[in-house]
Amino acid sequence: MTEDYFLIPDFGLDWLDAGGPEADIVLSTRVRLARNLQGHRYVCRASAGDREIVFRTVARAVNRGALPPDTALMRMNELGRRTQQILLERRLVSSELIGEAAPDSGVGVAVSSGNAVSVMINEEDHLRLQCLMSGLRLMEGWNRVDKLDEELGGLLQLAYHHEFGFLTSCPTNVGTGLRASALLHLPGLVLTKEIERALRGITQVGLTTRGLYGEGSEFVGNFFQISNQTTLGQGEEDLLDHLNRVVATVITKEREARQVLTRDAGAITEDKIWRAYGLLRYARALDYVELMNLLSGVRLGVSLKLLPSPPVYWLNRIMIFSQAAHLAEAAGRTLSTEERRAHRAQYVRQALRGESGSTTTDPGV
Amino acid sequence: MSEPAKVCDGQGCDNPAVVQLTQVVDNKSTTQYLCKECARAKGISAQPPSSLDVSDFLAQLGESGSSESESVTEPCSFCAMTFDDFRESGRLGCSHCYTSFEPRVRRLLSRIHGAGQHAGKVYLPPDPSSAELDRRIAGLRRSLQHAIEAEDFERAAVLRDLIRDHEAGQR
């Protein structure tokens, strides 16, 4: 058991490797289960002492082998603010877990990147089990997180009701406690102005769309997260099947839209893509949203084979490593907004130059 | 250096904006920046959507569900949460709240999910009773049937092993 995120194999970035199916459109799949311990107040009503008891109870289960031996168990308030934000930017913890200004005591996360699973402790529910993987792999994600659930459930007394299923703090999660989502890059549907219709359709079949950073976040860089909305009344496999079918349809529509773009507006599309690439290659200051929109163009270009490089894996890394806390970590200090824009542009220039010259240059920390 | 604060776009209003309202109509996106008061006048809450959804929903539910005489419910005997607390926060305080507020919770769940009966995985606690074990095996059989239909033979094999283990434990 390690207590330092630098010791997590691949620093919890496995899901960026673009090795999963449909990875040129589906950045990642996430499957999470909400669980609570029987006989303990939920986090919204818990005192610091209650949270501590839950944390220790879960930590004991983790140490007794509920998670693989490569697991890093971290208490959020023992990490520096920047490290907390790095974990957030890597999507290993939620913003709720690290708190607006500081995390609460007794709050933590156990990460096992070997099989891409992690457990947030004392977030909205006592336990949030999740599996985060590259590409579209809903069933595989479910199998992994289910296995983890079996291990933890065999050691901990979970809150369960024969009629309502797994009990959660928010009634929108009760039953299976399952929220599965796929993060899709849909520039084709946006550029052909079909996206609104697609999003409406997704809502009509009982699913939800959100931005890159989940609930309440805006649509940035043409990324859309599609997830199930209901959790009670259907089995996990049925919920996942339905989501999988809808996501597959959206992917087909996106590929059709890309064909339309290259057929009817080939020259304009190619020009836009190369302009995006050129800006990223030479800009001296970049906002994150601007970067995400330019990266979207480059990602489209790579997928359409209009750009020979960089590989999708590289684009995924740029997306993560050009966020505020990652840039500050690389600089070794806090950056002002202006400095951050300059550092971001410099990092992107180096990453793209490094990639085109040699594949061994790592744009990492 | 932080970004300069935006001023509210409301008519004749100079308050700092706290809400960014982006609307898409006929494929055209317009963005307005509004202060809390002007946002409220347009019927928009400055609360993040996560807490908005459920508590708004609950507020409406309370009004439409008042036909039955469920005047004041007692607070939860385990965590002391009242139904009003729940209505405000959208979060239940403990597992016992589900039974403390059962009729209301039942109605709420059927509105949110369009269903009231769990149809997913059956939990097997650390020291299960024989009834719990029976329910569990029935649940696993349902999943097995599903895996076979979906031709997910890897999962089917895992489920078969689990069923066999549980059945052996019953004897």
Side-chain angles (χ1 to χ4, degrees):
Chain A
M1 184 79 42
T2 61
E3 305 252 341
D4 185 334
Y5 91 95
F6 288 107
L7 298 175
I8 306 171
D10 204 21
F11 312 112
L13 287 168
D14 215 30
W15 60 276
L16 288 179
D17 74 0
E22 315 275 8
D24 64 323
I25 291 181
V26 185
L27 182 75
S28 61
T29 293
R30 186 204 301 266
V31 179
R32 77 106 167 104
L33 295 176
R35 298 288 187 256
N36 284 284
L37 305 191
Q38 181 64 32
H40 295 267
R41 284 191 194 88
Y42 292 167
V43 181
C44 65
R45 300 289 282 183
S47 65
D50 293 335
R51 286 195 303 269
E52 186 58 31
I53 291 170
V54 167
F55 186 92
R56 289 185 187 189
T57 308
V58 176
R60 259 201 309 279
V62 170
N63 288 325
R64 282 172 62 193
L67 271 91
D70 75 339
T71 298
L73 175 67
M74 292 164 273
R75 276 180 186 271
M76 282 299 118
N77 61 1
E78 287 177 0
L79 303 175
R81 190 63 180 164
R82 195 187 293 151
T83 305
Q84 295 166 13
Q85 279 159 343
I86 284 176
L87 292 173
L88 174 68
E89 290 177 356
R90 290 180 190 193
R91 301 171 67 216
L92 295 172
V93 302
S94 64
S95 51
E96 191 161 338
L97 196 80
I98 69 169
E100 230 165 81
D104 286 325
S105 62
V107 160
V109 68
V111 184
S112 158
S113 66
N115 59 354
V117 292
S118 60
V119 181
M120 285 192 276
I121 305 164
N122 283 325
E123 203 240 27
E124 181 182 299
D125 294 295
H126 293 145
L127 298 170
R128 286 284 176 101
L129 287 54
Q130 77 158 12
C131 180
L132 183 60
M133 302 168 89
S134 163
L136 181 61
R137 290 191 273 183
L138 287 163
M139 281 317 285
E140 198 180 334
W142 159 240
N143 286 341
R144 289 187 188 199
V145 90
D146 180 38
K147 188 165 175 286
L148 176 60
D149 186 40
E150 289 293 302
E151 300 284 348
L152 282 168
L155 294 169
L156 302 166
Q157 189 78 39
L158 300 177
Y160 181 82
H161 185 280
H162 64 94
E163 189 181 346
F164 303 145
F166 290 94
L167 301 180
T168 54
S169 184
C170 185
T172 54
N173 294 317
V174 84
T176 57
L178 173 86
R179 189 83 59 207
S181 64
L183 183 58
L184 277 71
H185 181 233
L186 304 174
L189 290 173
V190 172
L191 289 169
T192 55
K193 306 200 188 308
E194 289 289 327
I195 192 69
E196 259 187 82
R197 213 145 60 107
L199 296 183
R200 253 200 320 272
I202 290 165
T203 314
Q204 277 164 1
V205 294
L207 301 175
T208 304
T209 48
R210 296 178 172 137
L212 186 54
Y213 294 98
E215 210 158 20
S217 70
E218 286 199 45
F219 298 122
V220 173
N222 299 322
F223 277 109
F224 299 83
Q225 201 169 164
I226 306 178
S227 63
N228 63 306
Q229 191 166 19
T230 59
T231 53
L232 182 67
Q234 275 184 295
E236 292 84 358
E237 286 93 353
D238 288 328
L239 289 167
L240 291 163
D241 255 5
H242 179 55
L243 177 61
N244 202 34
R245 267 202 299 274
V246 173
V247 170
T249 308
V250 175
I251 293 172
T252 306
K253 295 279 173 211
E254 170 64 20
R255 294 212 190 278
E256 285 169 6
R258 290 179 183 193
Q259 272 176 4
V260 170
L261 276 181
T262 42
R263 190 190 62 212
D264 298 350
I268 299 171
T269 307
E270 195 173 352
D271 179 59
K272 272 186 189 293
I273 286 166
W274 278 100
R275 275 170 187 271
Y277 183 77
L279 273 170
L280 288 179
R281 196 61 207 272
Y282 296 105
R284 258 49 188 170
L286 285 169
D287 284 333
Y288 190 67
V289 172
E290 184 186 11
L291 166 72
M292 288 299 289
N293 290 331
L294 294 172
L295 273 181
S296 172
V298 172
R299 193 179 284 270
L300 176 65
V302 171
S303 173
L304 292 174
K305 301 196 168 36
L306 292 170
L307 283 175
S309 65
V312 176
Y313 162 71
W314 213 263
L315 296 172
N316 292 350
R317 278 192 86 95
I318 291 175
M319 212 173 106
I320 299 303
F321 281 85
S322 59
Q323 295 172 102
H326 278 82
L327 291 172
E329 181 79 1
R333 66 184 172 88
T334 310
L335 300 171
S336 70
T337 307
E338 285 313 311
E339 285 175 329
R340 190 158 55 237
R341 283 159 44 88
H343 277 242
R344 180 175 292 125
Q346 189 188 15
Y347 161 70
V348 173
R349 286 201 307 278
Q350 278 172 354
L352 290 178
R353 208 172 40 237
E355 199 288 321
S356 59
S358 143
T359 50
T360 54
T361 315
D362 195 301
V365 193
Chain B
M1 220 174 1
S2 59
E3 304 261 330
K6 296 256 187 322
V7 174
C8 177
D9 291 334
Q11 211 171 7
C13 180
D14 292 326
N15 292 334
V18 293
V19 176
Q20 181 183 346
L21 173 65
T22 305
Q23 287 176 303
V24 182
V25 181
D26 298 332
N27 284 325
K28 265 197 195 149
S29 155
T30 54
T31 299
Q32 274 187 304
Y33 295 91
L34 299 169
C35 71
K36 213 170 175 179
E37 285 70 31
C38 292
R40 198 176 297 137
K42 282 179 177 277
I44 298 151
S45 161
Q47 292 294 316
S50 54
S51 58
L52 177 100
D53 290 344
V54 182
S55 47
D56 256 23
F57 196 87
L58 285 164
Q60 289 169 16
L61 182 75
E63 283 152 28
S64 59
S66 56
S67 55
E68 285 173 46
S69 57
E70 280 171 12
S71 49
V72 184
T73 325
E74 292 288 309
C76 171
S77 59
F78 186 79
C79 72
M81 179 175 254
T82 64
F83 197 78
D84 280 346
D85 292 338
F86 169 51
R87 189 172 285 170
E88 208 166 289
S89 68
R91 304 284 181 273
L92 288 161
C94 69
S95 308
H96 196 74
C97 286
Y98 279 90
T99 26
S100 299
F101 312 127
E102 192 166 331
R104 289 173 175 210
V105 165
R106 200 182 290 279
R107 203 161 48 231
L108 176 67
L109 292 180
S110 97
R111 291 222 187 171
I112 295 175
H113 300 283
Q117 175 65 51
H118 176 53
K121 176 173 171 169
V122 179
Y123 174 54
L124 190 70
D127 297 306
S129 66
S130 68
E132 282 169 331
L133 210 50
D134 285 346
R135 278 202 292 268
R136 163 75 162 190
I137 292 171
L140 287 172
R141 286 194 199 286
R142 277 200 303 273
S143 297
L144 174 63
Q145 194 53 39
H146 192 285
I148 292 169
E149 279 165 21
E151 298 183 13
D152 185 350
F153 300 115
E154 206 176 318
R155 178 145 181 94
V158 172
L159 291 166
R160 258 194 216 103
D161 286 347
L162 270 174
I163 293 170
R164 205 172 298 137
D165 288 351
H166 289 325
E167 283 175 340
Q170 263 183 327
R171 281 180 220 125

